[in-house]
Amino acid sequence: MALTKTQQRDRRHNRVRARVNGTAARPRLSIFRSNTRVVAQLIDDEKMVTIVSISSDTEKAKTPRERAEAAAVTLAKVAIEKGIKAVVFDRGGFQYLGTVKAFADAARTAGLEF
């Protein structure tokens, strides 16, 4: 039986989540990419609490990649204001290329460590 793209991504995400866990000192940077936007959250998995959340649809830029990079910079600024510098990156089952890679690189250059 062939799996749909969503089912394949869910399987990959479950494999990633089995190894990646966020704490208060080093929260999990979870990312979700749709066709139109990127949504990212910093999550403390011990308390099951979202610390910071951002969506690229609030950013003003021309291309989806530019909006994702701007959202990453905004997320990093808010996280650093809250005293968070180190995170664990959870790519959400998406391949580490394109918009996901651009988001991660922009977050790193803005000051987050992962």
Side-chain angles (χ1 to χ4, degrees):
M1 180 172 99
L3 297 176
T4 65
K5 281 185 176 183
T6 306
Q7 290 170 331
Q8 291 173 346
R9 187 190 76 82
D10 287 341
R11 280 189 172 185
R12 286 191 304 269
H13 192 199
N14 289 335
R15 282 197 305 265
V16 170
R17 283 290 293 122
R19 284 175 257 140
V20 175
N21 199 9
T23 63
R26 194 174 171 113
R28 176 169 54 101
L29 173 55
S30 176
I31 188 169
F32 174 78
R33 178 187 55 82
S34 73
N35 288 337
T36 57
R37 68 180 56 107
V38 173
V39 179
Q41 303 176 51
L42 287 179
I43 302 168
D44 179 0
D45 288 319
E46 292 174 342
K47 295 179 184 173
M48 296 185 199
V49 171
T50 299
I51 302 167
V52 178
S53 174
I54 192 82
S55 176
S56 66
D57 62 353
T58 61
E59 302 297 329
K60 304 287 187 245
K62 290 189 175 184
T63 66
R65 181 177 290 196
E66 290 172 351
R67 286 193 297 271
E69 290 171 347
V73 171
T74 304
L75 179 85
K77 286 180 184 176
V78 173
I80 291 171
E81 287 173 3
K82 292 190 177 219
I84 299 168
K85 289 188 178 180
V87 298
V88 179
F89 189 66
D90 174 10
R91 60 188 173 88
F94 298 102
Q95 290 184 0
Y96 187 77
L97 51 84
T99 306
V100 175
K101 185 176 187 301
F103 183 92
D105 292 342
R108 279 192 192 101
T109 55
L112 288 181
E113 299 172 6
F114 58 95

